Amino acid sequence: MEEVKLLGTWSSPFSYRVLWALELKGIPYQYTEEDLYNKSPFLVKCNPVHKKIPVLVHGGKPICESMVILEYLDGPWPHNPLLPSDPYERAVARFWAKFADDKGTVIWTMFRSTGEEQKEAVKGSLEMLRTIEDLALGDKKFFGGERIGMVDLAFGALAHWLGVFEEIVGIRLLEPESFPRLHKWTKNFKEEPAIKENLPDKDKMLSNFRCLREKLLASP
Amino acid sequence: MGDEVVLLDFWPSVFGMRLRIALAEKGIEYEYREEDLRNKSELLLEMNPVHKKIPVLIHNDKPICESIVAVQYIDEVWNKKAPFFPSDPYQRAQARFWADYIDNKMYDAGRRVWSSKGDELEAAKKDFLEVLKVLEAELGDKPYFGGETFGYVDLTLIPFCFWFYAYESCRNFSIKAQCPKLNAWANRCMKKETVAKSLADKLKVGECVIKRCLGLISETVTEGWVDAGCYPSDASPAFNFVCCVGC
């Protein structure tokens, strides 16, 4: 079996999407923590276009972009598939994965802003959560059905990072009464062993992101 | 079993063009329905409740939204002819990577070229050219991004190239000179019947833009063009006039 390497960072939800996928599929891998303020020559060589993590390197060949990596994994490792086999169900999964990527940034905007910009971002975040609650999850345990799939991993940031951001900015978005399905999903998601055993430490996150927010607000 | 395929679309939409090309490549018969973006149909709102946008592919009454999702769906269902993806999983991942790059970088960079002025315009042109050069490097000496045959990345990119002529005319930079391989690739793609018949009529677009800047039609006529990947609606009338002369 060819060697698998993951270049990532401990605090990135994008990095964790891939890490969780590898754990769920039981794929052995070597993890390298990257310093994004001092990127390794190897990272830059593997991802010359974006110079970002995560990067998966399989048998020496790099694959970049977290959702591209997730789609890739079912090929060489078809067990515990991340995508359904039916073409229509696959299209639905890809739609929601794209939604997570396109709309998810509004939560980051809420975190890194203040005033009017933050107010708008809060509004956008609530709309996004409402859409997911009403249209994406249904009564399923996971977005993938009975098992965690690609869409669950795509929305993973909502299960762990959102709570940290909410605490730092002092704004609660994911209220259980307003979003019962989504709230239940965050519990189910974090109870899965592959996820539970692979979550960044909450206190470390609070300290790290608090610091980051100050830095971002201080810079022009 | 008869397949019923409907495409909800808007004629100048670059995203809609992707689906038209994909359907043509596979030889799929479908019903084309033009949407008025100022007055969206009940069907569109029902089929795409999340975004309320075109294009929407409806296959046997089931909607597929987002152009790159629908293109992949078409490839997986009608899999006997003209595959869009290579069979090797690593090459497939590379194709997905480049489609993602095009979707994220091309649209924004192109839009800023269209709507900027002065110093901002110079910066936007520089960024846009950067994107094109990255794509040029990826294309290399291959006839298509997919290799010998037209595929997923080509299909994703070619509708944007429709605007190359406009940029060259109005923004004073030559794509042909700076990215000759990409320029040759665009011409090669546009010679394909499936592409040529799927792209919006350049003259029709230009005519609409002239009419708008002469005040013969209201701004609301070109409302929604920006979302559909056609930029003129947020540029100045004078620029639009020059642009359609270029078209």
Side-chain angles (χ1 to χ4, degrees):
Chain A
M1 220 331 137
E2 287 175 307
E3 193 184 44
V4 175
K5 291 184 187 181
L6 171 62
L7 310 182
T9 60
W10 73 270
S11 59
S12 160
F14 304 102
S15 190
Y16 271 88
R17 283 173 174 176
V18 180
L19 198 146
W20 291 326
L22 294 169
E23 292 286 336
L24 284 163
K25 285 178 169 288
I27 300 167
Y29 62 98
Q30 183 197 61
Y31 176 81
T32 301
E33 177 73 21
E34 283 288 331
D35 176 357
L36 297 185
Y37 296 101
N38 187 18
K39 292 175 184 180
S40 71
F42 186 58
L43 170 59
V44 174
K45 181 174 161 219
C46 288
N47 192 355
V49 174
H50 299 300
K51 303 176 180 55
K52 284 182 174 179
I53 55 92
V55 177
L56 188 85
V57 186
H58 182 204
K61 298 195 286 191
I63 302 119
C64 310
E65 292 300 310
S66 58
M67 297 316 298
V68 173
I69 297 169
L70 294 192
E71 282 252 19
Y72 171 75
L73 292 175
D74 274 356
W77 296 278
H79 61 284
N80 291 351
L82 299 174
L83 276 155
S85 51
D86 171 69
Y88 187 74
E89 295 305 317
R90 289 162 77 83
V92 172
R94 287 181 178 130
F95 174 87
W96 288 111
K98 186 171 200 299
F99 180 90
D101 261 0
D102 291 346
K103 301 290 182 185
T105 50
V106 72
I107 306 250
W108 178 253
T109 306
M110 179 199 75
F111 167 76
R112 63 149 182 76
S113 62
T114 54
E116 261 320 299
E117 196 187 356
Q118 191 183 54
K119 252 174 100 177
E120 278 305 306
V122 167
K123 186 163 166 270
S125 298
L126 287 168
E127 278 167 11
M128 181 192 73
L129 294 175
R130 178 56 48 207
T131 301
I132 301 167
E133 173 81 15
D134 291 347
L135 298 175
L137 194 49
D139 293 316
K140 304 194 296 285
K141 185 178 180 190
F142 297 113
F143 292 95
E146 282 306 305
R147 286 186 309 106
I148 286 179
M150 185 173 80
V151 180
D152 300 275
L153 302 183
F155 282 127
L158 297 180
H160 196 60
W161 279 256
L162 178 56
V164 168
F165 293 170
E166 283 172 337
E167 199 171 317
I168 292 170
V169 304
I171 300 169
R172 191 80 200 275
L173 291 177
L174 192 40
E175 301 268 16
E177 306 81 40
S178 307
F179 303 101
R181 287 169 170 164
L182 205 43
H183 191 256
K184 193 162 167 213
W185 169 82
T186 64
K187 297 250 166 305
N188 288 332
F189 184 73
K190 284 177 28 166
E191 257 156 42
E192 280 293 302
I195 310 297
K196 190 173 178 173
E197 289 154 24
N198 295 288
L199 284 170
D201 176 72
K202 193 169 175 205
D203 290 329
K204 199 175 166 192
M205 289 240 282
L206 280 165
S207 156
N208 175 75
F209 282 105
R210 221 166 236 139
C211 219
L212 180 59
R213 184 164 195 260
E214 278 166 23
K215 231 195 253 182
L216 290 169
L217 291 177
S219 59
Chain B
M1 183 191 81
D3 273 321
E4 202 192 282
V5 180
V6 177
L7 176 64
L8 305 183
D9 200 352
F10 177 53
W11 64 273
S13 164
V14 297
F15 306 109
M17 285 179 219
R18 288 172 174 171
L19 290 200
R20 286 173 235 162
I21 297 170
L23 291 163
E25 283 282 304
K26 299 282 188 180
I28 299 164
E29 287 193 9
Y30 65 98
E31 183 195 338
Y32 178 93
R33 288 199 204 169
E34 185 70 22
E35 282 285 332
D36 176 356
L37 298 188
R38 297 159 297 164
N39 186 21
K40 293 174 181 177
S41 70
E42 282 299 316
L43 183 64
L44 173 57
L45 299 177
E46 186 197 329
M47 294 284 115
N48 193 355
V50 175
H51 301 301
K52 304 174 178 56
K53 284 182 173 178
I54 57 87
V56 178
L57 184 78
I58 309 173
H59 182 208
N60 296 333
D61 298 326
K62 296 201 287 193
I64 301 102
C65 309
E66 295 293 341
S67 62
I68 57 167
V69 174
V71 165
Q72 292 179 78
Y73 175 81
I74 289 167
D75 196 44
E76 288 180 6
V77 172
W78 288 273
N79 54 22
K80 300 279 185 285
K81 178 186 175 183
F84 298 155
F85 282 95
S87 51
D88 171 65
Y90 184 75
Q91 294 306 325
R92 296 167 79 87
Q94 295 314 301
R96 290 204 163 92
F97 173 86
W98 287 107
D100 176 80
Y101 179 84
I102 290 159
D103 252 10
N104 286 319
K105 297 283 191 183
M106 191 76 182
Y107 181 73
D108 278 340
R111 185 176 178 164
R112 281 190 297 123
V113 166
W114 208 254
S115 55
S116 308
K117 296 185 185 80
D119 283 343
E120 245 187 60
L121 172 58
E122 289 313 305
K125 274 161 70 172
K126 185 165 168 284
D127 288 346
F128 183 67
L129 222 35
E130 263 313 306
V131 171
L132 293 185
K133 285 187 169 171
V134 168
L135 291 170
E136 166 109 342
E138 173 54 26
L139 177 65
D141 293 317
K142 304 194 295 289
Y144 299 103
F145 282 92
E148 293 304 312
T149 51
F150 183 84
Y152 183 61
V153 179
D154 307 281
L155 197 155
T156 304
L157 181 59
I158 192 61
F160 286 105
C161 300
F162 177 66
W163 294 105
F164 281 1
Y165 305 112
Y167 296 158
E168 290 199 307
S169 310
C170 321
R171 290 319 202 192
N172 196 31
F173 67 100
S174 171
I175 288 164
K176 197 170 176 178
Q178 305 260 11
C179 300
K181 291 176 179 173
L182 203 59
N183 191 65
W185 164 85
N187 289 333
R188 187 177 303 124
C189 288
M190 287 193 272
K191 284 199 179 86
K192 280 173 66 69
E193 197 203 323
T194 53
V195 174
K197 74 178 189 182
S198 304
L199 295 184
D201 187 334
K202 234 179 359 182
L203 294 176
K204 192 175 169 192
V205 172
E207 189 192 316
C208 213
V209 168
I210 295 180
K211 282 181 175 171
R212 204 195 118 220
C213 69
L214 292 178
L216 295 173
I217 56 180
S218 74
E219 200 175 285
T220 53
V221 170
T222 48
E223 207 174 274
W225 280 40
V226 172
D227 262 0
C230 326
Y231 312 128
S233 67
D234 61 352
S236 73
F239 165 64
N240 280 337
F241 186 75
V242 172
C243 153
C244 59
V245 168
C247 283

